[in-house]
Amino acid sequence: MRLTLLPIALVLLSTSALARPTGPRLYCAHYEDTPACRGAVVSCTQCHTAPPELNAYGGSIASALSGDYDEVLPAALAAVEGEDSDNDGLSNLEELVLGTRPGDAQSFFVAPAAPSGPENPAFSVGTYDDAFAYRRLTIAYCGRSPTYDERQTFAAAADKAQARHNALNACLDSTYWQTEGLARLADKRIRPLQAINVDGVIPLADYSWDYRLFVHALSDDRDARDLLTATYHVGPDGARVSGVIPGNGGDQVGGQPSAVDKRAGMITTQWFLMVHTMFSELPRTTAAQAYRAYLGQDIARSEGLLPTDGEPKDIDNKGVDDQDTCVYCHSTLDPLAYAFAYYNGIGGGGGNGAFRQNRPSWQPSAVEAMILDVPLQNVQTRGVVDWAQQAASSPLFAQTMASMFLTHAVGRAPRPDELDELSALADGFMDPAVDNYRAERLLHRLIDTDAFGVP
Amino acid sequence: MRRLTLSLLTFVASCAMVTSTSCTEPVAPAEGEGEGEGEGEGEGEGEGEGEGEGEGEGEEPLPPPPFAISTKGAVAWKRQRALESDLMTALVLAKGEVCNELGQFSCIDFVHQVPLGGNDPFVKSQYEPLAIPTVTTPIAVERVVLSACVARVTKDIDAAPVVFTTLDLGASAVSDEEADATITALFRRLLMRDPEAHELAELRGLTDDEGTAVPPRDFAIASCFAIGTMVEGLFY
């Protein structure tokens, strides 16, 4: 009898936990082609100031709701499209299409008028300007301005587009791009700290491995998905090396402890696991950083929330199962983190960052690891390998790469009138017939965009 | 014209980078003169007595330019590495010669790294650079450019000149011909273009100080600094 009752009790528990923030999924099912959902999971801040508090747009929707939330939300969304909830002069629907926030009066966009007047003698304002783009790409990817002679040569080139792409090729091979330009894009993803680097005051790992892999995967004609799926490392000489790499100090410090079948690019290096997991049994920070760095979803900003029913289980007794507060993030974060629990942070058998099948104190069957609504099997033997593969093949990864490069190239976040070009960059990045995940191919398309080349 | 155009194009950026002679407010060219450039100061209503100068009551709105300007108004900030690299190339200086505080701490990589648009992830845990220039950015830019200019002029005095080849740095005055040649060379080196007539005329004024001829060394430094800190060279 007791065996019979247990499954029933679990079902009841699961049902009671359905009071979840299902809003993001429903929202994007309704508005899948809007910028907030294109290659992204809409942030809770679209409707909330901080969940569960509503912003003006969320308040409008709430007032239009009557009945079961999941059933009536689409109708409520449609009902308030014509309103201007935040009184910024744009209707809610106009803001959704533009990609601005309909609940934030400070978030709006009015497309600039076309330039008017006699021809500008120095710039092709309002249309693609070859010379402007040439200078911009040289500074962005060569780390210097074109010289006077180079500008003269470019001005005389019969095929300006070809000249631009030739210049880009040269820049992408330059010492600047290979050693500094790309590395600066890695900083917030690797989050180095010299004091605990292998040559620091308290040596715990070596982030040089991370920088080398980042640059390697995004240069030449390599597959950028290796950022998440590489089973190899890159040695100081630039060559790939595989397998366990011994460290010099205790806890294998400075080496790479993961075997090939437990490797997953940037998110299983000794540095990444050490600096984010540290002593956590359930490495929520590690998972959140991987989600933020490579899928562009910052859970701390209520982004990328895809709650799992029955979560959070608070498997490590940290008190994260409060239904009024913690549930909004931890119902996504905890399932995201389970796969990382099989890797050491600091210390543990095998050294910093080593895979250990018996590391978690809970039974593997007690939890279900998830990413992007996909359940992960056998994480106790495969670690985060499947997590990384799901991540690398998702549109979120492509969107993150495209956004990273476009933001770097123009020196600011893409504006609403540039989001279509951003989406096209991301789509082409995934397309085997276009970029096939090659970063340098994406950059060649990027410098042809209006966002880059129209002054 | 080009400087004026870019100043208009970079309205927001230039507002953040207003610095001395190098970042003047753009003004439209006077009719018939073709191109204009100036300090853009509004006319003041003097209230001072004796030698005091009057305070302006606000600037007159700028007249619209005589040609189409960018309505997009979005340019990128040329950050510390490109600034350094461009100065090294333009003035033929080694990395360690561009600018060092107290003669030993790199302005680019250490002392002024952040206001110049760089970041130090390793020691300061600053994982992203500033999004836009800060209030101290113009000061840092001027510090670096002035240092580089002084370094080049000093080297050209001490040995066979490399950049200021058309100036007699040991003479007591600068001729108009020498000034024009020097300004042209500096425009090509620092802004990668030729100067326009009004720019030559304006910078030629650096050859004297209220009617007194300045030494070629001072002219070399001042013209290098003025051209090297122009807005069009700092944003792209």
Side-chain angles (χ1 to χ4, degrees), chain A residues 113 118 120 145 148 180 192 194, chain B residues 68 71 81 86 122 127 192 194:
Chain A
N120 186 305
S145 299
Y148 179 84
E180 184 166 359
Q194 200 276 329
Chain B
T71 53
R81 190 61 64 219
D86 286 356
F122 306 111
Y127 299 126
M192 299 84 189
D194 290 317

Side-chain angles (χ1 to χ4, degrees), chain A residues 246-261:
Chain A
N248 296 323
D251 287 337
Q252 300 298 320
V253 169
Q256 292 296 343
S258 287
V260 167
D261 65 338

Side-chain angles (χ1 to χ4, degrees), chain A residues 112-113 115-116 118 120-121 123 135-136 143-146 148 151 180 187-188 192-194 207 415 450 454-455, chain B residues 1 5-6 66-72 81-82 85-86 119 121-122 125 127-128 188 191-192 194 232 235-236:
Chain A
S116 61
N120 186 305
F123 295 93
R135 182 184 181 213
R136 178 168 270 192
R144 64 173 180 82
S145 299
Y148 179 84
R151 272 189 153 179
E180 184 166 359
D187 290 336
K188 71 175 183 178
L193 182 58
Q194 200 276 329
Y207 50 66
R415 303 186 317 188
D450 286 353
V454 174
Chain B
M1 178 68 78
T5 311
L6 191 61
F67 45 76
I69 62 169
S70 173
T71 53
K72 192 172 170 183
R81 190 61 64 219
S85 180
D86 286 356
N119 64 302
F122 306 111
S125 295
Y127 299 126
E128 291 184 276
R188 290 183 175 188
L191 299 178
M192 299 84 189
D194 290 317
E232 73 171 80
F235 294 90
Y236 62 97

Side-chain angles (χ1 to χ4, degrees), chain A residues 273-331:
Chain A
L273 294 162
M274 178 281 297
V275 79
H276 296 300
T277 297
M278 293 192 171
F279 306 102
S280 302
E281 185 176 17
L282 180 57
R284 296 182 177 91
T285 301
T286 314
Q289 172 63 5
Y291 205 42
R292 178 191 302 116
Y294 300 102
L295 300 183
Q297 305 301 299
D298 191 340
I299 290 178
R301 294 180 178 178
S302 300
E303 296 170 354
L305 296 183
L306 294 168
T308 298
D309 287 349
E311 291 285 357
K313 291 183 166 58
D314 195 21
I315 197 73
D316 56 349
N317 300 312
K318 297 297 184 188
V320 299
D321 52 352
D322 185 299
Q323 294 298 305
D324 292 329
T325 53
C326 305
V327 64
Y328 294 103
C329 293
H330 284 272
S331 53

Side-chain angles (χ1 to χ4, degrees), chain B residues 164-227:
Chain B
F164 297 97
T165 55
T166 55
L167 276 181
D168 180 358
L169 291 166
S172 58
V174 182
S175 69
D176 283 354
E177 291 73 23
E178 288 177 322
D180 286 358
T182 299
I183 293 164
T184 299
L186 289 171
F187 260 82
R188 290 183 175 188
R189 286 178 172 276
L190 291 162
L191 299 178
M192 299 84 189
R193 66 174 175 89
D194 290 317
E196 296 178 8
H198 71 94
E199 293 169 326
L200 279 171
E202 185 170 331
L203 288 167
R204 208 180 287 136
L206 294 171
T207 59
D208 65 63
D209 183 7
E210 296 181 355
T212 305
V214 300
R217 176 186 181 278
D218 292 354
F219 168 74
I221 293 172
S223 56
C224 174
F225 174 77
I227 297 166

Side-chain angles (χ1 to χ4, degrees), chain A residues 360-401:
Chain A
S361 62
W362 57 83
Q363 291 296 315
S365 58
V367 297
E368 184 172 43
M370 301 277 290
I371 179 172
L372 303 175
D373 284 338
V374 177
L376 303 174
Q377 307 298 321
N378 304 319
V379 290
Q380 69 274 25
T381 56
R382 294 181 57 77
V384 296
V385 170
D386 295 331
W387 192 108
Q389 288 178 345
Q390 287 294 335
S393 61
S394 77
L396 294 174
F397 175 68
Q399 186 81 7
T400 301
M401 291 292 106

